[in-house]
Amino acid sequence: MLKITRYPETKNKSLQVSSAADNYLLNFLKENEIPKGNLALVNDRFGYLACHTADWNPYSVIAFKSQEKALRINFKNNNLELADSHLLSPLDSFPEKLDVVLLRIPKSLDLFKLYLHQIHQASHENTVILCSFMTKYFSKQMLKTAELFFEEVNQSLAWKKSRLLILKNPKSKQTVELLKSFQWQGLEIQQYLGVFSADKVDYATQFLLNNIKLKQSEQTILDLASGNGIIAASILNKYQAQNWETPELHLIDDSFLAVASSKFNLPGEKNHFHYSDDLEDFKDKSFDLVVSNPPFHFEYEINTEVTMDFFEQVYTVLKPNGRFILVFNRHLRYTTLLKRIFSKVDVMVDSPKFVVMECIK
Ligand SMILES: C[S@@+](CC[C@H](N)C(=O)[O-])C[C@H]1O[C@@H](n2cnc3c(N)ncnc32)[C@H](O)[C@@H]1O
Protein backbone atom coordinates (compact mmCIF):
# COMPACT_ATOMS: atom_id res chain seq x y z
CA MET A 1 0.00 0.00 0.00
CA LEU A 2 1.57 3.30 -1.09
CA LYS A 3 1.68 6.25 1.30
CA ILE A 4 1.34 9.45 -0.65
CA THR A 5 1.34 12.91 0.89
CA ARG A 6 0.78 16.44 -0.27
CA TYR A 7 3.56 18.96 -0.67
CA PRO A 8 3.29 21.64 0.53
CA GLU A 9 1.71 20.06 3.57
CA THR A 10 -1.61 21.40 4.71
CA LYS A 11 -3.50 21.51 7.99
CA ASN A 12 -6.77 21.61 6.06
CA LYS A 13 -8.10 18.07 6.19
CA SER A 14 -10.55 18.69 3.35
CA LEU A 15 -7.62 19.05 0.92
CA GLN A 16 -6.82 15.57 -0.36
CA VAL A 17 -3.86 14.09 -2.21
CA SER A 18 -6.06 12.42 -4.84
CA SER A 19 -9.65 12.23 -6.03
CA ALA A 20 -11.94 9.87 -7.89
CA ALA A 21 -10.66 11.48 -11.08
CA ASP A 22 -7.19 10.04 -10.36
CA ASN A 23 -8.49 6.61 -9.41
CA TYR A 24 -10.72 6.44 -12.48
CA LEU A 25 -7.58 6.78 -14.63
CA LEU A 26 -5.75 4.04 -12.73
CA ASN A 27 -8.75 1.70 -12.74
CA PHE A 28 -9.28 2.20 -16.45
CA LEU A 29 -5.68 1.28 -17.12
CA LYS A 30 -6.03 -1.92 -15.07
CA GLU A 31 -9.52 -3.02 -16.05
CA ASN A 32 -8.97 -2.56 -19.77
CA GLU A 33 -5.70 -4.45 -19.56
CA ILE A 34 -3.95 -1.79 -21.59
CA PRO A 35 -0.59 -3.28 -22.56
CA LYS A 36 2.50 -1.66 -21.10
CA GLY A 37 4.18 0.88 -23.37
CA ASN A 38 5.40 4.45 -23.25
CA LEU A 39 3.26 6.21 -20.67
CA ALA A 40 3.06 9.94 -19.97
CA LEU A 41 1.44 11.56 -16.93
CA VAL A 42 0.23 15.11 -17.12
CA ASN A 43 -0.96 17.41 -14.33
CA ASP A 44 -0.24 14.78 -11.68
CA ARG A 45 0.05 17.38 -8.91
CA PHE A 46 1.52 15.25 -6.10
CA GLY A 47 2.84 12.24 -7.99
CA TYR A 48 -0.11 10.04 -7.06
CA LEU A 49 -0.39 8.67 -10.59
CA ALA A 50 3.39 8.42 -10.95
CA CYS A 51 3.76 6.34 -7.78
CA HIS A 52 0.96 3.99 -8.84
CA THR A 53 2.41 3.49 -12.31
CA ALA A 54 6.11 3.48 -11.37
CA ASP A 55 6.54 0.01 -12.97
CA TRP A 56 5.74 1.61 -16.35
CA ASN A 57 8.66 4.07 -15.88
CA PRO A 58 6.38 6.89 -17.07
CA TYR A 59 7.26 10.35 -18.32
CA SER A 60 5.93 13.05 -15.98
CA VAL A 61 5.22 16.55 -17.24
CA ILE A 62 6.22 18.87 -14.42
CA ALA A 63 4.69 22.33 -14.58
CA PHE A 64 5.44 23.48 -11.02
CA LYS A 65 8.52 23.34 -8.80
CA SER A 66 6.25 22.26 -5.92
CA GLN A 67 4.95 19.42 -8.11
CA GLU A 68 8.50 18.21 -8.71
CA LYS A 69 9.20 18.35 -4.97
CA ALA A 70 6.01 16.40 -4.19
CA LEU A 71 6.97 13.75 -6.72
CA ARG A 72 10.47 13.38 -5.28
CA ILE A 73 9.16 13.17 -1.71
CA ASN A 74 6.59 10.52 -2.58
CA PHE A 75 8.98 8.42 -4.64
CA LYS A 76 11.53 8.51 -1.83
CA ASN A 77 9.00 7.67 0.90
CA ASN A 78 7.78 4.69 -1.09
CA ASN A 79 11.27 3.47 -2.06
CA LEU A 80 10.54 4.00 -5.74
CA GLU A 81 13.15 4.97 -8.27
CA LEU A 82 12.64 8.20 -10.17
CA ALA A 83 14.35 8.62 -13.54
CA ASP A 84 15.28 12.30 -13.84
CA SER A 85 15.41 11.96 -17.62
CA HIS A 86 11.66 11.18 -17.50
CA LEU A 87 10.78 14.52 -15.91
CA LEU A 88 9.83 16.95 -18.65
CA SER A 89 8.79 20.58 -18.64
CA PRO A 90 5.51 21.50 -20.36
CA LEU A 91 7.52 22.93 -23.26
CA ASP A 92 9.76 19.89 -23.76
CA SER A 93 8.97 17.57 -26.64
CA PHE A 94 8.48 13.95 -25.61
CA PRO A 95 11.65 12.04 -26.54
CA GLU A 96 9.66 9.18 -28.08
CA LYS A 97 6.15 8.38 -29.29
CA LEU A 98 3.62 7.74 -26.53
CA ASP A 99 1.28 4.75 -26.23
CA VAL A 100 -0.79 5.88 -23.26
CA VAL A 101 -1.34 9.24 -21.57
CA LEU A 102 -3.07 9.87 -18.25
CA LEU A 103 -4.02 13.51 -17.86
CA ARG A 104 -5.92 15.33 -15.13
CA ILE A 105 -7.68 18.17 -16.95
CA PRO A 106 -6.45 21.42 -15.37
CA LYS A 107 -8.79 24.27 -14.44
CA SER A 108 -7.19 26.41 -17.14
CA LEU A 109 -8.40 25.04 -20.46
CA ASP A 110 -5.66 27.07 -22.12
CA LEU A 111 -3.21 24.91 -20.21
CA PHE A 112 -5.15 21.82 -21.30
CA LYS A 113 -4.68 23.05 -24.87
CA LEU A 114 -0.93 23.47 -24.39
CA TYR A 115 -0.67 19.97 -22.88
CA LEU A 116 -2.67 18.43 -25.73
CA HIS A 117 -0.55 20.24 -28.29
CA GLN A 118 2.57 18.55 -26.90
CA ILE A 119 0.85 15.15 -26.59
CA HIS A 120 -0.56 15.36 -30.10
CA GLN A 121 2.95 15.77 -31.49
CA ALA A 122 4.02 12.54 -29.75
CA SER A 123 0.91 10.52 -30.62
CA HIS A 124 0.64 7.69 -33.13
CA GLU A 125 -2.47 6.12 -34.59
CA ASN A 126 -2.98 3.80 -31.60
CA THR A 127 -2.13 6.20 -28.77
CA VAL A 128 -4.85 6.36 -26.11
CA ILE A 129 -5.18 9.60 -24.15
CA LEU A 130 -7.30 9.36 -21.02
CA CYS A 131 -8.27 12.74 -19.58
CA SER A 132 -10.13 12.82 -16.28
CA PHE A 133 -12.14 15.46 -14.45
CA MET A 134 -14.71 15.78 -11.69
CA THR A 135 -18.10 15.99 -13.37
CA LYS A 136 -19.00 19.27 -11.62
CA TYR A 137 -16.19 20.99 -13.50
CA PHE A 138 -17.23 19.81 -16.95
CA SER A 139 -17.46 22.41 -19.69
CA LYS A 140 -18.17 22.01 -23.40
CA GLN A 141 -14.92 23.85 -24.02
CA MET A 142 -13.10 20.72 -22.79
CA LEU A 143 -14.57 18.78 -25.71
CA LYS A 144 -13.84 21.57 -28.18
CA THR A 145 -10.23 21.74 -27.02
CA ALA A 146 -9.79 17.97 -27.36
CA GLU A 147 -11.44 18.01 -30.81
CA LEU A 148 -8.82 20.48 -32.02
CA PHE A 149 -6.26 17.69 -31.86
CA PHE A 150 -8.03 14.32 -32.04
CA GLU A 151 -10.58 12.80 -34.41
CA GLU A 152 -12.16 10.60 -31.74
CA VAL A 153 -13.28 12.22 -28.48
CA ASN A 154 -15.55 10.02 -26.36
CA GLN A 155 -16.89 10.49 -22.86
CA SER A 156 -16.98 7.60 -20.40
CA LEU A 157 -19.76 6.88 -17.97
CA ALA A 158 -19.54 8.74 -14.68
CA TRP A 159 -17.84 6.97 -11.76
CA LYS A 160 -17.94 8.49 -8.27
CA LYS A 161 -18.75 11.90 -9.76
CA SER A 162 -15.78 11.77 -12.14
CA ARG A 163 -15.59 11.11 -15.84
CA LEU A 164 -13.04 10.47 -18.60
CA LEU A 165 -12.55 11.88 -22.06
CA ILE A 166 -10.97 9.21 -24.22
CA LEU A 167 -9.02 10.66 -27.14
CA LYS A 168 -7.73 8.66 -30.09
CA ASN A 169 -6.66 9.12 -33.66
CA PRO A 170 -4.60 12.33 -33.85
CA LYS A 171 -5.58 14.84 -36.52
CA SER A 172 -3.02 14.93 -39.26
CA LYS A 173 -1.66 18.40 -38.61
CA GLN A 174 -2.41 20.72 -35.76
CA THR A 175 -0.41 23.65 -34.54
CA VAL A 176 -1.71 26.24 -32.13
CA GLU A 177 -0.04 29.38 -30.91
CA LEU A 178 1.34 28.62 -27.45
CA LEU A 179 2.04 32.28 -26.66
CA LYS A 180 -0.51 35.05 -26.21
CA SER A 181 0.13 38.75 -25.89
CA PHE A 182 -1.68 41.87 -24.76
CA GLN A 183 -0.92 45.55 -24.19
CA TRP A 184 -1.10 47.36 -20.88
CA GLN A 185 -0.05 50.95 -20.17
CA GLY A 186 2.46 50.93 -22.99
CA LEU A 187 3.85 47.50 -22.10
CA GLU A 188 3.57 44.51 -24.42
CA ILE A 189 3.07 41.43 -22.22
CA GLN A 190 3.55 37.92 -23.57
CA GLN A 191 2.65 34.71 -21.83
CA TYR A 192 2.28 31.02 -22.47
CA LEU A 193 -1.15 29.44 -22.47
CA GLY A 194 -2.26 28.67 -18.93
CA VAL A 195 -0.26 31.38 -17.14
CA PHE A 196 -2.25 33.43 -14.61
CA SER A 197 -4.55 36.14 -15.98
CA ALA A 198 -4.51 35.72 -19.75
CA ASP A 199 -5.45 38.65 -22.02
CA LYS A 200 -5.51 41.27 -19.27
CA VAL A 201 -3.83 42.41 -16.08
CA ASP A 202 -5.55 40.99 -13.00
CA TYR A 203 -7.72 43.62 -11.26
CA ALA A 204 -5.90 43.30 -7.92
CA THR A 205 -2.58 43.75 -9.72
CA GLN A 206 -3.93 46.81 -11.56
CA PHE A 207 -5.02 48.28 -8.23
CA LEU A 208 -1.56 47.68 -6.80
CA LEU A 209 0.30 49.11 -9.79
CA ASN A 210 -1.93 52.17 -10.07
CA ASN A 211 -1.35 53.05 -6.42
CA ILE A 212 2.10 51.84 -5.45
CA LYS A 213 4.51 54.52 -4.22
CA LEU A 214 8.07 53.64 -5.18
CA LYS A 215 11.32 55.06 -3.81
CA GLN A 216 14.36 55.81 -5.93
CA SER A 217 16.62 54.50 -3.15
CA GLU A 218 15.12 51.00 -3.44
CA GLN A 219 17.50 49.24 -5.77
CA THR A 220 17.05 45.54 -5.03
CA ILE A 221 13.50 44.40 -5.61
CA LEU A 222 11.77 41.01 -5.49
CA ASP A 223 8.54 40.31 -7.37
CA LEU A 224 7.17 37.37 -5.39
CA ALA A 225 4.80 35.02 -7.24
CA SER A 226 5.60 36.99 -10.36
CA GLY A 227 3.43 35.23 -12.97
CA ASN A 228 4.09 36.79 -16.37
CA GLY A 229 6.28 39.45 -14.69
CA ILE A 230 3.77 42.29 -15.01
CA ILE A 231 4.56 43.79 -11.58
CA ALA A 232 8.32 43.81 -12.16
CA ALA A 233 7.88 45.11 -15.73
CA SER A 234 5.63 47.93 -14.58
CA ILE A 235 7.98 48.90 -11.73
CA LEU A 236 10.90 48.98 -14.17
CA ASN A 237 8.84 51.18 -16.47
CA LYS A 238 8.12 53.62 -13.65
CA TYR A 239 11.82 53.81 -12.70
CA GLN A 240 12.76 54.46 -16.32
CA ALA A 241 10.04 57.10 -16.75
CA GLN A 242 11.57 59.06 -13.84
CA ASN A 243 15.16 58.51 -15.01
CA TRP A 244 15.99 56.62 -11.81
CA GLU A 245 18.84 54.15 -11.79
CA THR A 246 17.70 50.73 -13.11
CA PRO A 247 17.05 48.47 -10.11
CA GLU A 248 18.16 44.86 -9.68
CA LEU A 249 14.94 42.89 -10.14
CA HIS A 250 14.36 39.32 -9.05
CA LEU A 251 11.25 37.37 -10.03
CA ILE A 252 10.14 34.11 -8.50
CA ASP A 253 7.29 31.81 -9.40
CA ASP A 254 6.34 28.19 -8.83
CA SER A 255 5.08 27.84 -12.40
CA PHE A 256 7.55 26.87 -15.12
CA LEU A 257 5.43 28.54 -17.80
CA ALA A 258 5.10 31.74 -15.76
CA VAL A 259 8.86 32.05 -15.34
CA ALA A 260 9.42 31.26 -19.02
CA SER A 261 6.85 33.93 -19.95
CA SER A 262 8.35 36.60 -17.70
CA LYS A 263 11.69 36.21 -19.48
CA PHE A 264 10.06 37.61 -22.64
CA ASN A 265 8.72 40.59 -20.74
CA LEU A 266 11.89 41.61 -18.90
CA PRO A 267 14.83 41.22 -21.25
CA GLY A 268 17.32 43.45 -19.34
CA GLU A 269 20.56 42.23 -17.77
CA LYS A 270 19.56 43.33 -14.29
CA ASN A 271 16.53 41.01 -14.24
CA HIS A 272 16.89 37.59 -12.60
CA PHE A 273 14.45 34.69 -12.80
CA HIS A 274 13.85 31.97 -10.23
CA TYR A 275 11.71 28.90 -10.81
CA SER A 276 10.99 28.12 -7.17
CA ASP A 277 8.21 27.78 -4.62
CA ASP A 278 10.08 29.29 -1.66
CA LEU A 279 12.70 31.91 -0.80
CA GLU A 280 15.54 29.47 -0.03
CA ASP A 281 17.54 30.89 -2.97
CA PHE A 282 17.63 34.26 -1.25
CA LYS A 283 19.03 33.40 2.15
CA ASP A 284 21.97 35.77 1.63
CA LYS A 285 20.13 38.27 -0.47
CA SER A 286 18.72 41.36 1.12
CA PHE A 287 15.96 43.20 -0.62
CA ASP A 288 14.93 46.83 -0.25
CA LEU A 289 11.46 45.97 -1.49
CA VAL A 290 9.36 42.84 -1.96
CA VAL A 291 6.15 43.26 -3.98
CA SER A 292 3.44 40.68 -4.46
CA ASN A 293 -0.04 39.78 -5.52
CA PRO A 294 0.20 36.44 -3.72
CA PRO A 295 -1.64 33.28 -4.74
CA PHE A 296 -4.54 31.75 -2.87
CA HIS A 297 -6.21 29.75 -5.65
CA PHE A 298 -4.59 26.47 -6.58
CA GLU A 299 -6.63 24.85 -9.32
CA TYR A 300 -10.07 24.46 -7.72
CA GLU A 301 -8.73 24.74 -4.17
CA ILE A 302 -8.53 27.84 -2.04
CA ASN A 303 -5.57 27.75 0.31
CA THR A 304 -3.98 30.71 2.11
CA GLU A 305 -1.41 28.60 3.98
CA VAL A 306 1.21 28.98 1.23
CA THR A 307 0.88 32.75 1.27
CA MET A 308 0.94 33.00 5.05
CA ASP A 309 4.10 30.88 5.02
CA PHE A 310 5.69 33.40 2.70
CA PHE A 311 5.22 36.30 5.12
CA GLU A 312 7.88 34.98 7.53
CA GLN A 313 10.18 34.18 4.63
CA VAL A 314 9.78 37.69 3.22
CA TYR A 315 10.72 39.16 6.60
CA THR A 316 14.02 37.25 6.59
CA VAL A 317 15.04 38.35 3.07
CA LEU A 318 14.32 42.05 3.63
CA LYS A 319 17.02 44.55 4.64
CA PRO A 320 16.44 46.38 7.92
CA ASN A 321 13.61 48.85 7.24
CA GLY A 322 12.91 47.06 3.96
CA ARG A 323 9.34 47.16 2.67
CA PHE A 324 6.92 44.43 1.74
CA ILE A 325 4.02 45.71 -0.35
CA LEU A 326 1.23 43.31 -1.18
CA VAL A 327 -2.28 43.45 -2.56
CA PHE A 328 -5.01 41.08 -1.48
CA ASN A 329 -8.75 40.63 -1.56
CA ARG A 330 -10.38 42.32 1.40
CA HIS A 331 -11.98 39.08 2.61
CA LEU A 332 -8.57 37.46 3.21
CA ARG A 333 -7.57 37.95 6.82
CA TYR A 334 -3.83 38.53 6.55
CA THR A 335 -3.51 41.69 8.62
CA THR A 336 -3.20 40.13 12.09
CA LEU A 337 -0.43 37.82 10.97
CA LEU A 338 1.40 40.61 9.12
CA LYS A 339 1.26 42.76 12.28
CA ARG A 340 2.71 39.91 14.30
CA ILE A 341 5.69 39.61 11.92
CA PHE A 342 6.49 43.16 10.77
CA SER A 343 7.28 46.15 12.96
CA LYS A 344 4.97 48.53 11.09
CA VAL A 345 1.96 47.60 8.95
CA ASP A 346 -0.19 50.22 7.21
CA VAL A 347 -2.85 50.29 4.55
CA MET A 348 -1.33 52.09 1.57
CA VAL A 349 -4.65 52.25 -0.24
CA ASP A 350 -7.86 50.24 -0.22
CA SER A 351 -11.12 49.82 -2.09
CA PRO A 352 -14.31 47.85 -1.38
CA LYS A 353 -12.56 44.84 -2.99
CA PHE A 354 -8.81 45.12 -2.44
CA VAL A 355 -6.24 46.25 0.12
CA VAL A 356 -2.66 47.28 -0.61
CA MET A 357 -0.62 46.88 2.55
CA GLU A 358 2.81 48.28 3.30
CA CYS A 359 4.80 46.30 5.88
CA ILE A 360 8.13 47.54 7.23
CA LYS A 361 10.74 45.18 8.68
C1 LIG B 1 -2.19 35.96 -8.13
S1 LIG B 1 -0.96 35.34 -9.25
C2 LIG B 1 -0.01 36.81 -9.51
C3 LIG B 1 0.83 36.77 -10.74
C4 LIG B 1 1.43 38.10 -11.18
N1 LIG B 1 2.24 38.68 -10.13
C5 LIG B 1 0.31 39.07 -11.54
O1 LIG B 1 0.08 40.00 -10.77
O2 LIG B 1 -0.31 38.86 -12.59
C6 LIG B 1 -0.03 34.35 -8.21
C7 LIG B 1 1.15 33.60 -8.79
O3 LIG B 1 1.68 32.83 -7.71
C8 LIG B 1 2.32 31.69 -8.26
N2 LIG B 1 2.55 30.77 -7.14
C9 LIG B 1 1.71 29.90 -6.57
N3 LIG B 1 2.32 29.26 -5.56
C10 LIG B 1 3.57 29.73 -5.48
C11 LIG B 1 4.69 29.47 -4.65
N4 LIG B 1 4.64 28.59 -3.67
N5 LIG B 1 5.84 30.14 -4.89
C12 LIG B 1 5.93 31.04 -5.88
N6 LIG B 1 4.90 31.33 -6.71
C13 LIG B 1 3.74 30.70 -6.50
C14 LIG B 1 1.36 31.25 -9.33
O4 LIG B 1 2.01 30.42 -10.28
C15 LIG B 1 0.90 32.60 -9.91
O5 LIG B 1 1.72 32.95 -11.01
Side-chain angles (χ1 to χ4, degrees):
M1 178 79 171
L2 295 168
K3 185 177 178 328
I4 301 176
T5 54
R6 287 174 65 109
Y7 169 86
E9 286 169 14
T10 175
K11 293 191 185 83
N12 182 344
K13 294 217 163 53
S14 71
L15 301 180
Q16 302 286 318
V17 76
S18 64
S19 71
D22 293 292
N23 289 318
Y24 202 166
L25 290 169
L26 296 173
N27 291 345
F28 192 96
L29 208 56
K30 240 187 255 158
E31 283 163 16
N32 291 277
E33 294 178 358
I34 294 181
K36 276 217 178 91
N38 289 333
L39 171 67
L41 307 173
V42 184
N43 197 25
D44 176 28
R45 202 67 181 80
F46 306 108
Y48 183 83
L49 299 174
C51 287
H52 281 91
T53 56
D55 55 334
W56 289 61
N57 194 16
Y59 289 103
S60 284
V61 175
I62 304 290
F64 303 95
K65 185 50 86 173
S66 55
Q67 180 189 7
E68 182 186 330
K69 287 187 181 173
L71 198 76
R72 291 192 186 284
I73 290 168
N74 285 316
F75 266 62
K76 186 161 181 265
N77 289 348
N78 290 290
N79 295 317
L80 296 168
E81 215 162 297
L82 187 63
D84 275 2
S85 61
H86 279 213
L87 302 186
L88 305 175
S89 92
L91 297 178
D92 286 335
S93 300
F94 289 98
E96 47 191 340
K97 290 282 179 195
L98 301 171
D99 302 306
V100 188
V101 178
L102 305 184
L103 183 155
R104 285 290 316 272
I105 298 182
K107 183 175 177 191
S108 160
L109 295 184
D110 265 357
L111 186 54
F112 183 39
K113 192 196 270 185
L114 183 141
Y115 286 147
L116 286 184
H117 175 269
Q118 304 295 82
I119 292 164
H120 173 262
Q121 296 197 336
S123 295
H124 55 73
E125 56 187 20
N126 294 318
T127 307
V128 183
I129 297 106
L130 304 171
C131 309
S132 73
F133 56 97
M134 297 306 291
T135 324
K136 63 183 168 186
Y137 301 131
F138 175 75
S139 89
K140 283 200 176 127
Q141 200 54 37
M142 284 180 182
L143 297 174
K144 285 198 181 130
T145 305
E147 283 162 1
L148 281 177
F149 299 96
F150 294 91
E151 300 285 356
E152 279 181 58
V153 175
N154 293 307
Q155 277 200 66
S156 71
L157 295 173
W159 177 75
K160 292 194 176 176
K161 298 184 181 161
S162 68
R163 217 179 258 274
L164 302 181
L165 295 187
I166 302 164
L167 321 184
K168 288 182 188 163
N169 205 353
K171 290 195 166 167
S172 55
K173 214 172 178 198
Q174 184 52 279
T175 44
V176 292
E177 200 46 72
L178 301 185
L179 269 174
K180 283 185 167 181
S181 66
F182 64 90
Q183 305 273 337
W184 191 72
Q185 295 190 350
L187 294 167
E188 155 107 8
I189 299 297
Q190 293 194 74
Q191 62 186 66
Y192 282 105
L193 295 180
V195 170
F196 176 78
S197 197
D199 307 322
K200 63 165 193 347
V201 177
D202 174 63
Y203 294 119
T205 302
Q206 288 193 29
F207 189 65
L208 169 75
L209 293 175
N210 288 334
N211 291 289
I212 192 167
K213 292 177 191 73
L214 298 166
K215 295 180 180 173
Q216 187 172 7
S217 59
E218 291 173 332
Q219 282 293 315
T220 49
I221 301 175
L222 172 66
D223 178 352
L224 169 61
S226 48
N228 57 22
I230 180 68
I231 294 180
S234 170
I235 288 177
L236 187 57
N237 217 20
K238 289 177 202 279
Y239 271 60
Q240 284 168 345
Q242 296 179 88
N243 279 325
W244 292 355
E245 192 184 331
T246 304
E248 202 80 40
L249 280 166
H250 290 258
L251 294 89
I252 169 178
D253 204 284
D254 187 31
S255 151
F256 178 90
L257 291 170
V259 176
S261 305
S262 62
K263 288 179 184 171
F264 291 117
N265 302 324
L266 286 130
E269 274 176 15
K270 290 181 90 176
N271 306 320
H272 313 277
F273 304 90
H274 309 267
Y275 172 38
S276 175
D277 72 322
D278 60 33
L279 299 185
E280 286 291 309
D281 277 9
F282 304 111
K283 274 199 172 137
D284 306 321
K285 185 88 199 164
S286 291
F287 291 102
D288 296 309
L289 174 65
V290 176
V291 191
S292 191
N293 173 5
F296 64 99
H297 282 116
F298 299 86
E299 290 285 294
Y300 295 104
E301 297 176 358
I302 291 185
N303 181 355
T304 53
E305 286 168 303
V306 169
T307 301
M308 306 251 231
D309 238 33
F310 264 126
F311 296 164
E312 298 261 7
Q313 295 184 54
V314 168
Y315 183 88
T316 60
V317 302
L318 277 175
K319 284 183 189 168
N321 290 316
R323 297 195 297 162
F324 176 33
I325 298 177
L326 71 161
V327 64
F328 53 90
N329 285 44
R330 186 171 274 291
H331 71 269
L332 296 168
R333 306 202 171 274
Y334 293 152
T335 310
T336 311
L337 178 60
L338 288 168
K339 284 190 170 159
R340 214 178 292 146
I341 298 171
F342 291 87
S343 61
K344 196 163 176 292
V345 175
D346 288 308
V347 174
M348 197 174 236
V349 57
D350 63 352
S351 74
K353 255 195 117 173
F354 305 117
V355 184
V356 176
M357 205 64 107
E358 180 190 59
C359 313
I360 313 277
K361 180 160 175 173

